[in-house]
Amino acid sequence: MSSTSAERDDLWIPEQLRENVEEILIPADRIAARLDELAAEVDRDYAGRDTDLLLVGVLRGAVFTLSDLARRLTIPSAIDFMACSSYGSSTTSSGVVRILKDLDTEIEGRDVLLVEDIVDTGLTLDYLIKNLRSRNPASVEVLSLLTKPSRREVELPVRYIGFEVPDVFVVGYGLDYAERYRGIPHIVSLKPGTGA
Ligand code: PRP
């Protein structure tokens, strides 16, 4: 039987997904509190600019972080999205990223804040930052909810970071395993053998 929203506590996980969850690493209330802090920093850093800040979400995992960040900002902001092909698990060091969906927005002269759910090897962002910089924006910075420094293959300037996570497979709050678990409100690890 599924629970009603009134029965959900702070650590609620949908019942059908709960059996594969090993541990709640970052509960929803900590994510919310950290996003409050990050939004306040972004507000301060971009106050008084000539153009509205453009938040660029990298599909699909970043949609939760982007929408929760955008709802906290008090400065004027716009949103857009990009989608990239993954470089494939066996060739993670190649760094080849293909743009599947480009921005709808011209960014010349704009302040751009790339929003990610996680920086892992860094190859996706490394490519995206270079690609966006070639379009002559006023600035390109990165905000990522999570970072896994132990997996980094390229050095990256990530200006705003929510949390560092260990080298375990994490899902929830936008992150998936085989497209599942994105809707879990927390960052969680999966039980060994789940397939992750
Ligand atoms: C994840 C994540 C980043 C990228 C980070 O996306 O959202 O975009 O991987 O990995 P990297 O630092 O090693 O490049 P994924 O390809 O899983 O797509 P998704 O967001 O649609 O789940």
Side-chain angles (χ1 to χ4, degrees), residues 59-61 87 116-124 176 182:
L59 294 171
R60 284 163 280 193
Y87 26 77
E116 267 287 20
D117 51 347
I118 189 163
V119 187
D120 192 5
T121 64
L123 293 171
T124 305
D176 73 308
R182 292 192 198 271

Side-chain angles (χ1 to χ4, degrees), residues 123-166:
L123 293 171
T124 305
L125 268 180
D126 186 54
Y127 174 83
L128 284 178
I129 291 169
K130 286 176 182 150
N131 182 289
L132 294 183
R133 281 200 178 131
S134 73
R135 306 180 198 191
N136 298 318
S139 66
V140 179
E141 299 288 352
V142 176
L143 180 150
S144 182
L145 180 71
L146 304 178
T147 181
K148 239 186 219 180
S150 55
R151 295 256 309 159
R152 199 76 87 248
E153 292 184 21
V154 282
E155 276 310 306
L156 277 180
V158 183
R159 179 144 178 188
Y160 309 96
I161 292 173
F163 303 93
E164 273 191 26
V165 287

Side-chain angles (χ1 to χ4, degrees), residues 9-180:
D9 64 15
D10 288 350
L11 299 178
W12 177 81
I13 293 175
E15 198 159 328
Q16 282 189 301
L17 304 178
R18 201 179 304 158
E19 62 181 357
N20 291 331
V21 169
E22 169 112 311
E23 190 186 347
I24 296 179
L25 299 174
I26 311 170
D29 59 350
R30 278 187 66 207
I31 297 173
R34 186 71 187 116
L35 286 175
D36 285 344
E37 294 173 350
L38 291 177
E41 272 184 56
V42 173
D43 272 343
R44 270 197 307 274
D45 293 348
Y46 290 91
R49 299 288 174 106
D50 293 337
T51 56
D52 293 355
L53 176 64
L54 181 65
L55 305 173
V56 173
V58 184
L59 294 171
R60 284 163 280 193
V63 293
F64 291 62
T65 300
L66 181 128
S67 67
D68 282 345
L69 175 74
R71 283 180 286 185
R72 285 166 163 80
L73 293 178
T74 61
I75 55 167
S77 64
I79 65 173
D80 203 342
F81 293 94
M82 292 184 81
C84 304
S85 68
S86 167
Y87 26 77
S89 54
S90 59
T91 56
T92 46
S93 57
S94 72
V96 176
V97 176
R98 203 156 50 91
I99 293 179
L100 302 176
K101 185 224 167 291
D102 206 342
L103 295 174
D104 295 324
T105 315
E106 291 287 333
I107 60 167
E108 188 169 350
R110 298 281 304 264
D111 291 306
V112 176
L113 182 58
L114 268 167
V115 179
E116 267 287 20
D117 51 347
I118 189 163
V119 187
D120 192 5
T121 64
L123 293 171
T124 305
L125 268 180
D126 186 54
Y127 174 83
L128 284 178
I129 291 169
K130 286 176 182 150
N131 182 289
L132 294 183
R133 281 200 178 131
S134 73
R135 306 180 198 191
N136 298 318
S139 66
V140 179
E141 299 288 352
V142 176
L143 180 150
S144 182
L145 180 71
L146 304 178
T147 181
K148 239 186 219 180
S150 55
R151 295 256 309 159
R152 199 76 87 248
E153 292 184 21
V154 282
E155 276 310 306
L156 277 180
V158 183
R159 179 144 178 188
Y160 309 96
I161 292 173
F163 303 93
E164 273 191 26
V165 287
D167 191 11
V168 295
F169 200 90
V170 291
V171 297
Y173 198 78
L175 290 97
D176 73 308
Y177 173 69
E179 292 306 322
R180 270 200 174 172

Side-chain angles (χ1 to χ4, degrees), residues 20 169 177-178 181 190-196:
N20 291 331
F169 200 90
Y177 173 69
Y181 309 105
L190 293 178
K191 283 182 184 156
T194 304

